[in-house]
Amino acid sequence: MAEKPKVIVTRKLPDAVETRMMELFDTQLNLEDAPLSQDQLGAAFATADVVVPTVTDNIDAEIISRAGPKLKLIANFGVGVNHIDIVAANKKGLVITNTPDVLTEDTADLTMALIIMGPRRMSEGERMLRAGGWDGWAPTQHLGHRINGKRLGIIGMGRIGTAVARRALGFGIAIHYHNRMRLSGELEAELEATYWENLDQMIRHMDILSVNCPLTPDTHHLLSEKRLAMLQPHCFVVNAARGGIIDEAALAGALKRGDIGGAALDVFENEPTVHADLMGLENVVLLPHLGSATLEGRIDMGEKVIVNVKTFIDGHKPPDRVLPNLK
Ligand code: DGY
């Protein structure tokens, strides 16, 4: 029987996923779950046939240059691959896979929660109650803003953006979107969605903005200081995609000055560090990158990783290839 491929997993995965990976491959787990140092990551790249990283690994050109002769596949546990230098991986002839679809609904649920939590000041209310500051109901206490009838601008209308739109429509929110490609007429009609080719024009008119695009060199700081200055003073900014799509320092400044209504964020530019000014602001919801954090989702993501690795090892094209992009 041929030797089992050496698969190095960089973080702790759900038990069921790890057990199956141990059965199928010569798997090196990270049971302590301590993020790997760059040196440990480099060593993994030097010795493995397959590396299974996550968003917490910084797979830059230097790490990729340390890939040994056996390494052929990076099977990412997660859909976003912004933490991998795709250009360097491509030059090295590596295949990259990810885990799309299985986390769409969970991430859209979390995004919808943020869309409600921000304008309705839910985090503020909970903080006040837990701090013992609640004296009972009062007609003018803690008033937020109605989301029904408001305009939601979705930046990035892919799988997750579309799933957010479906939810928001059910809450009586008007759907607007900016995307590289316009949706089909049928889907636009189903979502009652208005397409804006020009992002600058759209964001000037929105009550809530939700960032749902991937982080790429093109979308880095897409919501720049200049664009944040275009928002209406009551606009809420929601981000459950990647922190780097928003200029976090500029966002903190705009919130501190009261130039915009608030923000509800699940992701940050330099995780796990959060901009100090955001931490002190009341009109901001801060969650620790929980978008796809359900047990069901994580098991499904693991299943995708296993199928991608197994298919590749068996000499076939893995289903979720990001690189080469030949679907
Ligand atoms: C994803 O899958 O991209 C999640 O954000 C975790 O990486």
Side-chain angles (χ1 to χ4, degrees):
M1 205 174 102
E3 226 176 81
K4 287 181 177 178
K6 174 138 186 100
V7 177
I8 299 186
V9 183
T10 68
R11 297 299 300 267
K12 171 95 186 81
L13 302 183
D15 289 347
V17 176
E18 290 188 338
T19 303
R20 186 63 184 138
M21 289 188 87
M22 296 289 275
E23 283 166 10
L24 289 171
F25 318 119
D26 171 14
T27 307
Q28 180 180 312
L29 301 173
N30 178 359
L31 295 178
E32 268 107 66
D33 202 23
L36 300 191
S37 66
Q38 287 306 94
D39 241 20
Q40 290 169 320
L41 199 54
F45 268 66
T47 53
D49 293 286
V50 178
V51 176
V52 178
T54 73
V55 67
T56 57
D57 299 304
N58 174 21
I59 303 174
D60 56 15
E62 204 271 319
I63 293 293
I64 287 172
S65 75
R66 291 171 67 179
K70 291 196 314 171
L71 186 78
K72 296 282 179 293
L73 173 65
I74 303 174
N76 189 55
F77 184 88
V79 70
V81 289
N82 54 288
H83 53 291
I84 305 174
D85 187 327
I86 304 278
V87 175
N90 195 23
K91 273 199 202 131
K92 195 88 184 167
L94 299 178
V95 174
I96 300 177
T97 58
N98 67 347
T99 61
D101 299 317
V102 291
L103 41 73
T104 300
E105 303 304 326
D106 293 329
T107 308
D109 287 344
L110 192 286
T111 308
M112 195 62 223
L114 293 177
I115 289 171
I116 302 170
M117 284 174 80
R120 294 298 305 272
R121 301 178 60 191
M122 290 181 181
S123 287
E124 279 180 70
E126 206 212 2
R127 281 196 295 270
M128 187 253 293
L129 184 148
R130 281 181 186 271
W134 190 41
D135 298 331
W137 188 88
T140 56
Q141 181 199 63
H142 220 86
L143 303 182
H145 288 284
R146 178 182 294 159
I147 58 163
N148 184 280
K150 293 293 188 319
R151 292 172 149 212
L152 169 68
I154 298 177
I155 303 175
M157 200 62 146
R159 284 179 288 256
I160 296 172
T162 304
V164 170
R166 285 213 168 86
R167 284 157 177 73
L169 189 64
F171 280 82
I173 295 174
I175 309 301
H176 297 254
Y177 75 100
H178 169 79
N179 199 42
R180 272 180 312 175
M181 287 197 344
R182 192 169 175 166
L183 297 180
S184 68
E186 205 180 319
L187 189 50
E188 248 184 32
E190 182 197 322
L191 299 172
E192 299 171 28
T194 304
Y195 177 60
W196 296 75
E197 196 178 337
N198 186 311
L199 177 63
D200 292 353
Q201 281 177 12
M202 179 179 88
I203 63 178
R204 288 174 205 273
H205 295 93
M206 296 300 120
D207 303 305
I208 305 166
L209 271 185
S210 176
V211 175
N212 293 105
C213 58
L215 174 59
T216 66
D218 287 343
T219 63
H220 179 255
H221 284 192
L222 189 67
L223 286 188
S224 58
E225 184 166 18
K226 191 169 154 217
R227 286 212 168 98
L228 289 167
M230 296 175 186
L231 306 187
Q232 303 198 76
H234 65 268
C235 185
F236 264 84
V237 175
V238 170
N239 189 4
R242 282 293 184 267
I245 301 166
I246 304 180
D247 180 337
E248 198 168 290
L251 177 69
L255 288 161
K256 218 171 160 182
R257 291 190 301 274
D259 292 349
I260 60 174
L265 309 171
D266 184 46
V267 287
F268 304 92
E269 248 191 293
N270 300 302
E271 294 180 11
T273 304
V274 176
H275 195 286
D277 285 348
L278 292 176
M279 297 288 257
L281 290 170
E282 275 298 317
N283 57 345
V284 178
V285 179
L286 303 171
L287 296 184
H289 202 144
L290 293 179
S292 61
T294 66
L295 180 59
E296 294 86 343
R298 294 285 192 251
I299 289 174
D300 289 348
M301 287 161 74
E303 177 69 15
K304 281 233 161 214
V305 167
I306 290 168
V307 169
N308 282 319
V309 176
K310 182 85 176 89
T311 314
F312 183 79
I313 297 293
D314 289 346
H316 304 286
K317 290 177 182 164
D320 304 307
R321 268 172 312 149
V322 176
L323 189 72
N325 189 359
L326 302 172
K327 279 190 185 169

